Amino acid sequence: MSNKIKGSEALIKSLLAEGVDTIFGYPGGAIIPTFDALYDYQDKINYILTRHEQGATHSAQGYARVSGKVGVCIVTSGPAATNAITGIGDAMMDSTPMVVIAGQVGSSLLGTDAFQEIDVVGITQPITKWSYQIRSAEEIPSAVARAFYIARSGRPGPVVLDFAKNAQTELVDFKYEKCKFTRGYIPSMPIKQKHIDDAASIINNAKKPLALVGQGVILSNAEKELLSFLEKADIPAASTLLGLSAMPSDFRLNKGFIGMHGNIAPNMKTNECDVLIAIGMRFDDRVTGKLDTYAKQAKVIHIDIDPSEIGKNVAVTAKILGDAKAALCALTEKTEPATHTEWINSFDDFDKLEFDKVIEKELYPKSGDITMGEVVRKVSEATNNNAVLVTDVGQNQMMSARYFRFSQTRSVVTSGGLGTMGFGIPAAIGAKVGAPERTVCMFAGDGGFQMTIQELGTIMQSNIGVKMIVMNNNYLGMVRQWQELFYDKRYSSTPMINPDFNQIADAYRIANRHVSRREDLDDAIAEMLKDDKPFLLVVEVEEQGLVYPMTPAGDTVTNILY
C-alpha cells in the first residue's frame, strides 16, 4: 500500500512539524490545492481569513512579535503575492520571523506570462532572508525546514516560498527532518572573549555610561540579563522604538525613549556620555540624527548579532558580535560593580524641563480639545500598564511610544523601519491571536485606520477581541506637522474628510463609542475594557496637535524642538 500523499498535504504536515498553530491568508486559484488540504486540519491549525493579503502579512507579524514564534501566511499567485510585498519588506526592516507561502502557476507554465504569473522570487529576494521556488513535491519538506530555520535563527526575518501548483498536486513519500544547518548561512558567531574583555575594560573605566536598548534584546530573550547588567554597572538606559518594552517603564535605570520624538534627557545625554553601549540596535537615522555630530565624545560599544550592522553607521571602539543574551551574560561577569549616582541624577533636570514644556500640557490639559497624549496614558493606566500596545504610523505612533507604559516584555508591535501606514488593525489581529490572554490596544490615526479598514471584517468573522482607538484629528497628522514646522503651513493634501467610523463599526457588528468631550473619556475607556470583545473607540482630538519634543530630520540629536 502506497504511503504517498499530495504535495499540498505534505506542506501542511511540514508546517505542523515546525509547531505552526496559526495561519493567516487569502485563497486563490494557484493555491487552491493547499487550502483544500488545510480543510482536513482545522482541528490542528487555526486559519484566519483576512480581507487582504497585506493584512495577512501584518497579522503574521503581530503574531510573531508577541508570541516569539514564526508568523505564517499563505496567499495565491500574481496580485496576491505583490499585495504581500509591503508586509514582507516591513518584516525585513524590523527583523520579524515570518514565512510567506505564495501560490504559483504550474512549472510547465513558468516564463510564459501565464494568468497571474509573476516573478515572486525575483521581486522578493532583496527584501527577504531567503526566497525560493518549489517546483516539485519532493522539495517541499526540505524547503519548509530550511525556511523556518532561516526565518527564526540569527537575526530573524521573512522567508518566501513560491509554491508551483503542480508541486501541490503531485504525490510524494513524506518524511520530515528539521533543518539545523544550511551551507553558506551562519546565523550567529561564537562570542570572542577578547571582545568581552575589551568592552568590559571600557565600561569599568566609564564615568558617564549610557546604554541604548534595541529590539535585539527582546528577540534574544535577554531581558533579565539586560537588567542584571544595568544594575551591576549602574548604567542608565534608554530604548529605541522597537526596544521599548525590554525594560519595565518603572525600572529605576530606564530613562525613556530615544530618537526624533524621544525624551529630552537620553537624547541630550547621548552627546554627553563617555561610553555609549548599543545593545541589539542598528543606529537608525531616526535615533542618530546627523551622524557627523552624533556621540563624538563617547567610546562606542556595539553588541549585535548581525556583523553588517557594526560600524555601518557609527564607528565603534569595541564590538561584541553575537547573540545579545550570551553577550550580556559574559559581559556582566566581567563588569565590576559600580555607582554612577551623580551621572544618573543629572538626567533629572532635563526630565523636569520636558515635563514643564511638553508633558504637563499633553497629559494634563486644563482646557481645550482632548490631546492624543492624554488618550494614550488613560488607556494605558486603565489596563494597569499590562496591555500590548499596537500602533499604526504617524503622530498616533509617536504619542503612543511616548506615553504608553509597559510592565512586561513583547508589549510593543509597531512598524519601525518601514513606517507602514495601515499596519495597525491587522497587526493587532495577529497580536491578539498570538497572545489571547492579554489585552491588545491598537492606536491609529484617521488616515492609517482607513488604509486597512477592511480588516474589521476579519475581526468580525473571527471574533478577535482587539481594542481599537482612533485618534481623529481630520488630518494626516504627521505630514501636517512637518508642513507646519518646515513648509510655511502649506497644508497640501493633508486635511481629510472622514466617514463616520462608528457607523462603519456598526456595519461590521463591532461595539463602539464616539467621544468628543473630555468628561466622557474615562467612561468610554472603561466600557471598551469591560470585556474581551472587539471594540472601536473614536476620539476627536485637537486638530493642530504637535508631537514634541522633536529633533528635525538630519539635524544634531541635541537640537531638540519643544
Side-chain angles (χ1 to χ4, degrees):
M1 183 177 178
S2 175
N3 292 320
K4 290 181 180 292
I5 60 174
K6 288 183 178 180
S8 55
E9 186 176 5
L11 172 68
I12 305 303
K13 284 181 174 288
S14 298
L15 296 177
L16 288 171
E18 290 292 343
V20 173
D21 56 21
T22 302
I23 295 173
F24 304 90
Y26 205 94
I31 200 70
I32 281 180
T34 293
F35 277 86
D36 183 65
L38 189 59
Y39 187 86
D40 294 326
Y41 289 86
Q42 297 177 66
D43 59 332
K44 296 181 180 178
I45 293 180
N46 179 24
Y47 177 76
I48 306 292
L49 174 64
T50 60
R51 295 303 185 265
H52 192 282
E53 292 86 2
Q54 180 182 346
T57 56
H58 293 329
S59 292
Q61 288 178 270
Y63 174 90
R65 295 268 281 272
V66 300
S67 70
K69 301 177 183 178
V70 177
V72 178
C73 59
I74 301 178
V75 300
T76 194
S77 63
T82 57
N83 283 344
I85 296 298
T86 298
I88 294 168
D90 197 290
M92 189 67 176
M93 291 285 281
D94 286 351
S95 303
T96 303
M98 179 169 71
V99 172
V100 177
I101 299 159
Q104 183 57 279
V105 300
S107 297
S108 63
L109 293 174
L110 290 170
T112 68
D113 292 331
F115 178 67
Q116 292 191 335
E117 179 194 2
I118 199 161
D119 183 2
V120 173
V121 172
I123 291 171
T124 59
Q125 274 184 336
I127 54 170
T128 56
K129 289 186 72 178
W130 186 52
S131 185
Y132 181 75
Q133 187 174 77
I134 300 174
R135 297 189 180 188
S136 67
E138 287 78 11
E139 298 178 87
I140 294 168
S142 62
V144 172
R146 190 177 181 189
F148 276 81
Y149 173 65
I150 292 173
R152 66 163 65 101
S153 62
R155 180 179 181 174
V159 169
V160 169
L161 294 177
D162 190 33
F163 200 12
K165 192 169 185 179
N166 63 285
Q168 301 172 51
T169 57
E170 292 169 358
L171 296 177
V172 62
D173 285 315
F174 179 74
K175 181 182 179 182
Y176 195 82
E177 292 182 8
K178 286 196 174 185
C179 181
K180 298 180 181 179
F181 168 80
T182 184
R183 189 171 63 182
Y185 171 62
I186 303 172
S188 62
M189 299 291 290
I191 293 173
K192 294 182 178 180
Q193 188 60 47
K194 184 182 185 306
H195 292 170
I196 296 294
D197 293 341
D198 289 347
S201 176
I202 293 170
I203 292 168
N204 290 337
N205 288 289
K207 303 299 181 184
K208 299 178 178 181
L210 175 63
L212 305 183
V213 178
Q215 188 189 201
V217 170
I218 297 170
L219 294 173
S220 64
N221 300 307
E223 295 89 348
K224 290 182 180 179
E225 289 76 13
L226 170 69
L227 299 188
S228 296
F229 166 69
L230 297 175
E231 286 279 19
K232 183 177 182 181
D234 201 32
I235 298 175
S239 298
T240 66
L241 176 63
L242 297 186
L244 273 173
S245 66
M247 299 179 287
S249 297
D250 60 2
F251 175 55
R252 74 172 186 89
L253 293 169
N254 187 349
K255 296 302 177 181
F257 172 41
I258 52 171
M260 177 178 281
H261 293 288
N263 296 113
I264 293 176
N267 279 329
M268 295 296 291
K269 294 298 180 179
T270 296
N271 275 13
E272 187 180 330
C273 64
D274 60 357
V275 175
L276 189 67
I277 308 156
I279 310 169
M281 54 87 74
R282 59 188 181 86
F283 287 114
D284 176 77
D285 63 288
R286 287 297 195 260
V287 166
T288 65
K290 187 179 180 181
L291 285 170
D292 291 347
T293 56
Y294 182 77
K296 290 302 179 182
Q297 80 296 335
K299 294 180 178 179
V300 177
I301 299 168
H302 196 172
I303 302 171
D304 207 283
I305 200 168
D306 185 350
S308 71
E309 292 295 349
I310 295 178
K312 183 178 77 174
N313 295 328
V314 174
V316 303
T317 310
K319 66 179 180 180
I320 302 176
L321 180 59
D323 177 74
K325 189 183 187 81
L328 286 169
C329 282
L331 189 58
T332 303
E333 188 176 329
K334 290 288 185 175
T335 301
E336 297 170 0
T339 301
H340 298 292
T341 304
E342 184 177 350
W343 165 242
I344 292 169
N345 289 342
S346 72
F347 285 68
D348 294 347
D349 289 342
F350 287 118
D351 289 340
K352 185 178 186 306
L353 171 68
E354 184 173 345
F355 182 84
D356 292 343
K357 295 290 187 179
V358 178
I359 296 174
E360 184 173 29
K361 60 186 177 183
E362 185 66 40
L363 294 188
Y364 313 108
K366 295 179 174 59
S367 61
D369 294 330
I370 300 171
T371 67
M372 286 181 277
E374 69 176 311
V375 176
V376 171
R377 181 56 64 87
K378 281 179 176 291
V379 172
S380 182
E381 290 175 346
T383 67
N384 295 317
N385 302 323
N386 286 324
V388 174
L389 168 69
V390 181
T391 82
D392 209 88
V393 168
Q395 288 183 316
N396 67 89
Q397 179 185 34
M398 293 297 101
M399 286 293 191
S400 298
R402 287 182 51 78
Y403 298 117
F404 211 81
R405 308 281 287 175
F406 309 101
S407 60
Q408 57 184 302
T409 189
R410 293 193 178 273
S411 293
V412 178
V413 181
T414 191
S415 175
L418 201 60
T420 304
M421 288 182 69
F423 180 86
I425 304 175
I429 290 170
K432 184 61 178 176
V433 174
E437 75 286 354
R438 299 190 65 186
T439 300
V440 174
C441 296
M442 189 283 296
F443 290 87
D446 43 303
F449 187 72
Q450 293 179 79
M451 284 195 171
T452 49
I453 198 168
Q454 70 274 6
E455 297 305 332
L456 294 178
T458 306
I459 292 172
M460 173 184 66
Q461 180 166 339
S462 296
N463 192 31
I464 299 170
V466 297
K467 310 301 181 181
M468 298 168 284
I469 304 96
V470 174
M471 297 189 289
N472 184 11
N473 59 8
N474 297 300
Y475 274 99
L476 295 175
M478 187 60 85
V479 183
R480 191 207 65 79
Q481 175 163 336
W482 284 46
Q483 289 171 334
E484 175 174 336
L485 297 177
F486 310 119
Y487 291 88
D488 298 322
K489 299 184 179 181
R490 292 161 59 87
Y491 300 132
S492 175
S493 298
T494 48
M496 295 193 76
I497 298 176
N498 292 313
D500 187 322
F501 295 121
N502 296 91
Q503 285 193 13
I504 292 173
D506 285 339
Y508 282 106
R509 300 191 284 281
I510 294 172
N512 61 89
R513 181 94 175 256
H514 179 271
V515 171
S516 58
R517 301 187 310 163
R518 179 169 286 111
E519 53 265 35
D520 296 329
L521 186 57
D522 288 338
D523 182 68
I525 292 171
E527 181 183 351
M528 175 177 69
L529 297 173
K530 70 180 179 180
D531 55 35
D532 198 39
K533 297 178 181 178
F535 196 98
L536 173 64
L537 174 60
V538 181
V539 184
E540 303 295 331
V541 298
E542 57 178 346
E543 290 193 353
Q544 304 295 320
L546 298 174
V547 185
Y548 279 137
M550 179 183 184
T551 302
D555 208 337
T556 299
V557 71
T558 51
N559 185 17
I560 303 172
L561 307 177
Y562 50 82

